Amino acid sequence: RGADVSYTLLFASLSAGSVLTVVGCLLREDSIAFCSQHIAILTPVAEALLSLLFPLQWQGMYVPLCPYHLAHDLVEAPVPFVVGFHTRYLGQVP
């Protein structure tokens, strides 16, 4: 997984401290939702973060770009998730 991952967008989007915080959340298997007004960066940023878990692998649900009609069900899921949303959904997703 890590061979094709670029960290440029990750560190352009998040500070080093935020990256460390998110990696810590991933290691604890917390649920994480990413939001951006630029949907093109959601998948590369999520992939870069998950690659930082190597040699471990994320075992939870992974939906880097969630369509709006699935958002409510995914956020209510009883399993850990990594999910990406467009920012226009922020006020509409629980």
Side-chain angles (χ1 to χ4, degrees), residues 23-71:
V23 170
C25 291
L26 291 169
L27 290 170
R28 287 191 312 269
E29 295 186 340
D30 292 339
S31 292
I32 299 171
F34 293 103
C35 299
S36 176
Q37 63 184 8
H38 306 288
I39 60 172
I41 70 168
L42 289 170
T43 298
V45 167
E47 286 288 322
L49 282 162
L50 292 179
S51 76
L52 294 174
L53 296 177
F54 183 81
L56 304 175
Q57 290 185 336
W58 178 252
Q59 297 297 308
M61 186 171 35
Y62 176 56
V63 184
L65 182 54
C66 181
Y68 176 71
H69 68 280
L70 296 177

Side-chain angles (χ1 to χ4, degrees), residues 5-6 9 11-12 15 21-22 30 36-37 56 64 74 78 82-83 86:
V5 174
S6 171
L9 276 175
F11 287 102
S15 67
T21 298
V22 174
D30 292 339
S36 176
Q37 63 184 8
L56 304 175
L74 286 177
V82 172
V83 64
H86 190 280

Side-chain angles (χ1 to χ4, degrees), residues 66-77 85 92-94:
C66 181
Y68 176 71
H69 68 280
L70 296 177
H72 186 271
D73 292 334
L74 286 177
V75 172
E76 297 291 325
F85 297 105
Q92 301 166 16
V93 177

